[in-house]
Amino acid sequence: MQRKRIVKVGLALASVSLGVYYNKEIRDGSIGLLRIGRTAVAVGEIMLDYNRSLYSKTVDVASPEYAKTRSDVHLRSAQRLLKLCEKNGGAFIKVGQHLGALDYLLPFEYVSTMKVLHSHAPQSKYEDVLDVIKQDLKCEPTEVFRVIEKVPLGTASLAQVHKAELNDGTVVAVKVQHPLVKAYSAIDITSMEVLVNLASWIFPDLKLEWLVRETKRNLPCELNFIMEGENAEKTAKLMKHLPWLHIPRVYWNLSTTRVLTMEYCDGFEIGALGHGKNPEFEPFKKEISQKITQLYSDMIFLHGYVHCDPHPGNLKIELDKQGKLHIHLLDHGLYAQLPAQFRENYAKLWMSIIRSNVHEIEEVSEKLGVKGFHGIFACMVSGRSWNAILGGIDKQKKTLEEEKEIKDDAAKYLAEIMEVLHRVPREMLLVFKTNDLLRGLNSTLGVKNNIASFVTMSRSCANAHYLKEYSNCKSFTCKVCVTVSHYVTHFKITAYELLLWWASWWTN
């Protein structure tokens, strides 16, 4: 039955390819056809591999042989996807980066393979960069810039950033979009959408429509650098209560939808700290983790306006003359505006996880659209195992055994995880990505079990819950009760902090 379906898929892919060839939005039809052709071949090979290795054999799914075969297929498929993303570039790199950020949500083979795209995105030629600047600023680059460094500071899926100097001597960072990424975005999304739907038709458990849906919605925003500049300015206003946070200034007279000129920020990328570089920051690792947790907790729980790409390259750190730590937050292309109802439910979910209240977890999970999957959902949100949640994630550190259990469960319950991702609100998908990137940052810093970060997040969550409850009060008595409850909660968090600190000190 599945082989017949796969033959039908081949015919369908041929039809799609021919149809896309004449898409008027594509600058060069032959290249467009080549891109969707590559995609069709890669997805076809992946589906055939799964069919031959797993679905056409009568192997005991509980046996070690099946687990090894499944792992091998995952790895081969991930490697095929990586090659496809690298060859097609643009939106495919973006999707690959998204997959690489979903630790604990997707099988380890996919996440570990796709993670390389965060630091190895294709680079545009210097001449093409100058050409985009000339087209968008309506002048020769030399009329504005005294110098633009040839080697980019960093290259991402949609653009690259060059250090430059204005004619008045001001040092800036210029973000320039890859020349063809916008032209090919339509065909890339169309091909991904069709192929994912076909893959889901053959393998019903493989529900990846959510990924295409998010790419389709987010990509136009990320390709508009005017929106990115506006996001940066809004975040600077919302987060002005954090004196250690710096958002680079935007030079609007030198910015367009494809060129964004910003203040240049000194400092070191956080990712470099995980490789033993910059030893002067070693004593600050826990403080860095705590500050980043506070930043994102306030974004999620208090303001509902969340920077959705906190990978190591977008966070730079430096020490001022007094030796105080400052963090630069870069790349404001993708933000999630969380509705008040979603924010309230998400805060409740975290509080119920912290309290190990299974009934409340089940209740709030249903409100967030995942009835019947509350256990897996809670594990996905917290990045902890179900046993750890039941025992109290605030009372025990994550061990290597628990890490292994989580990775094994990600492979074992892949169908259920896909179902959760299919059901949750779109805001939750962006929060998942953000949470997993933050866990990756903590891993890079070597502070996976940082007590201060957990406590910081708990306080932000409790504050958001308090503000909501207080705003609903209609009497003085109600306000007093809510306020007392708020202080009791903070007292408990402080008590947990002291208990965990003492336990950590005693074991060390």
Side-chain angles (χ1 to χ4, degrees):
M1 177 64 181
Q2 284 192 339
R3 286 182 181 177
K4 288 182 180 178
R5 282 188 174 183
I6 290 171
V7 171
K8 290 180 182 178
V9 168
L11 294 172
L13 291 176
S15 307
V16 171
S17 298
L18 290 171
V20 172
Y21 180 86
Y22 294 101
N23 191 320
K24 66 181 180 179
E25 292 185 63
I26 304 308
R27 186 179 301 181
D28 186 339
S30 61
I31 295 179
L33 181 59
L34 176 64
R35 293 165 72 80
I36 196 171
R38 284 196 202 115
T39 309
V41 169
V43 173
E45 287 177 344
I46 289 170
M47 291 190 295
L48 282 170
D49 196 358
Y50 273 99
N51 184 54
R52 289 170 181 164
S53 304
L54 295 180
Y55 297 106
S56 62
K57 293 183 178 180
T58 55
V59 182
D60 181 8
V61 295
S63 69
E65 179 191 350
Y66 180 84
K68 185 181 184 311
T69 302
R70 181 182 60 196
S71 178
D72 291 343
V73 176
H74 286 338
L75 183 58
R76 288 196 299 271
S77 301
Q79 289 168 343
R80 288 186 178 111
L81 275 182
L82 177 61
K83 287 179 182 177
L84 174 66
C85 293
E86 289 175 333
K87 285 182 179 178
N88 276 1
F92 282 83
I93 295 282
K94 201 72 189 173
V95 170
Q97 288 176 336
H98 197 145
L99 292 173
L102 296 177
D103 267 323
Y104 309 114
L105 303 187
L106 295 178
F108 171 76
E109 294 84 358
Y110 279 93
V111 174
S112 59
T113 301
M114 305 307 284
K115 265 185 178 175
V116 301
L117 292 173
H118 282 294
S119 55
H120 293 90
Q123 184 176 313
S124 291
K125 294 179 181 177
Y126 183 67
E127 294 74 18
D128 291 336
V129 169
L130 295 180
D131 192 43
V132 171
I133 293 173
K134 180 180 177 180
Q135 290 174 22
D136 278 44
L137 298 187
K138 312 296 183 189
C139 67
E140 292 293 335
T142 51
E143 294 179 38
V144 179
F145 302 100
R146 182 182 296 170
V147 63
I148 300 175
E149 293 188 359
K150 289 191 174 183
V151 179
L153 294 168
T155 303
S157 55
L158 308 180
Q160 59 194 56
V161 180
H162 290 257
K163 187 177 181 180
E165 188 178 325
L166 301 179
N167 284 328
D168 65 2
T170 304
V171 180
V172 295
V174 186
K175 183 174 182 178
V176 183
Q177 196 171 109
H178 296 311
L180 296 178
V181 71
K182 186 175 285 186
Y184 292 141
S185 62
I187 193 172
D188 287 348
I189 291 175
T190 300
S191 61
M192 280 189 280
E193 187 172 26
V194 172
L195 293 167
V196 161
N197 287 335
L198 289 170
S200 297
W201 176 48
I202 294 172
F203 306 119
D205 289 342
L206 191 66
K207 294 186 176 181
L208 287 172
E209 293 91 339
W210 59 272
L211 185 56
V212 178
R213 198 165 56 238
E214 283 307 292
T215 303
K216 198 172 183 179
R217 186 189 294 257
N218 295 332
L219 194 58
C221 300
E222 294 186 82
L223 288 170
N224 184 348
F225 290 174
I226 296 298
M227 289 184 67
E228 179 171 347
E230 291 171 348
N231 289 340
E233 291 192 341
K234 181 175 179 177
T235 302
K237 289 177 184 176
L238 290 175
M239 297 296 158
K240 62 184 179 182
H241 63 287
L242 303 176
W244 42 264
L245 178 68
H246 178 252
I247 309 291
R249 170 195 166 194
V250 178
Y251 290 82
W252 286 111
N253 60 321
L254 299 174
S255 297
T256 68
T257 56
R258 293 197 301 164
V259 177
L260 182 63
T261 306
M262 305 160 286
E263 169 191 2
Y264 174 74
C265 297
D266 274 317
F268 301 93
E269 288 187 6
I270 285 181
L273 300 184
H275 305 293
K277 298 178 182 177
N278 313 113
E280 66 270 29
F281 289 104
E282 284 295 319
F284 295 92
K285 281 188 173 182
K286 287 190 176 180
E287 184 183 348
I288 292 168
S289 175
Q290 183 181 0
K291 282 181 168 18
I292 292 172
T293 302
Q294 182 182 357
L295 167 63
Y296 276 88
S297 296
D298 286 358
M299 281 182 171
I300 292 171
F301 297 116
L302 295 181
H303 302 294
Y305 192 65
V306 187
H307 181 288
C308 290
D309 205 10
H311 70 76
N314 290 338
L315 289 156
K316 294 178 80 173
I317 54 174
E318 67 174 331
L319 299 175
D320 63 17
K321 293 178 180 178
Q322 287 75 42
K324 291 184 179 179
L325 183 72
H326 290 270
I327 296 177
H328 304 289
L329 180 62
L330 313 175
D331 194 349
H332 300 267
L334 181 59
Y335 272 74
Q337 181 66 64
L338 308 181
Q341 186 65 47
F342 172 85
R343 207 160 75 239
E344 179 188 350
N345 286 330
Y346 186 63
K348 283 182 178 176
L349 178 64
W350 258 113
M351 292 303 290
S352 62
I353 290 172
I354 291 168
R355 295 168 180 155
S356 305
N357 188 326
V358 176
H359 176 71
E360 212 171 85
I361 291 173
E362 187 174 3
E363 191 178 84
V364 180
S365 295
E366 185 173 345
K367 289 180 181 178
L368 288 168
V370 284
K371 183 179 180 180
F373 294 89
H374 61 279
I376 288 174
F377 185 46
C379 294
M380 292 166 68
V381 169
S382 63
R384 301 296 299 270
S385 69
W386 184 241
N387 287 331
I389 291 172
L390 293 178
I393 61 174
D394 53 353
K395 298 173 185 175
Q396 52 189 310
K397 292 183 177 182
K398 185 188 286 186
T399 62
L400 292 175
E401 289 77 12
E402 186 185 346
E403 290 270 8
K404 185 178 183 305
E405 180 186 350
I406 292 169
K407 288 175 182 175
D408 290 344
D409 284 347
K412 184 178 178 182
Y413 297 108
L414 179 60
E416 289 82 359
I417 290 170
M418 289 294 177
E419 184 63 37
V420 170
L421 293 172
H422 183 69
R423 289 190 188 187
V424 292
R426 65 171 300 268
E427 295 82 11
M428 192 72 239
L429 295 173
L430 292 170
V431 171
F432 272 144
K433 177 187 174 185
T434 304
N435 284 350
D436 286 319
L437 284 167
L438 290 172
R439 289 183 195 116
L441 277 176
N442 278 339
S443 178
T444 297
L445 292 169
V447 289
K448 289 185 182 181
N449 298 307
N450 188 2
I451 296 167
S453 291
F454 174 79
V455 169
T456 299
M457 187 277 297
S458 299
R459 289 192 193 284
S460 289
C461 186
N463 288 339
H465 188 64
Y466 160 71
L467 290 173
K468 175 64 180 176
E469 293 293 317
Y470 192 86
S471 66
N472 288 336
C473 285
K474 302 228 170 58
S475 67
F476 177 75
T477 305
C478 175
K479 289 179 179 179
V480 169
C481 290
V482 168
T483 302
V484 170
S485 175
H486 175 62
Y487 280 110
V488 168
T489 299
H490 273 277
F491 174 77
K492 287 180 178 178
I493 292 172
T494 302
Y496 278 135
E497 180 179 18
L498 291 171
L499 179 64
L500 289 168
W501 175 85
W502 179 83
S504 176
W505 177 83
W506 184 258
T507 54
N508 291 331

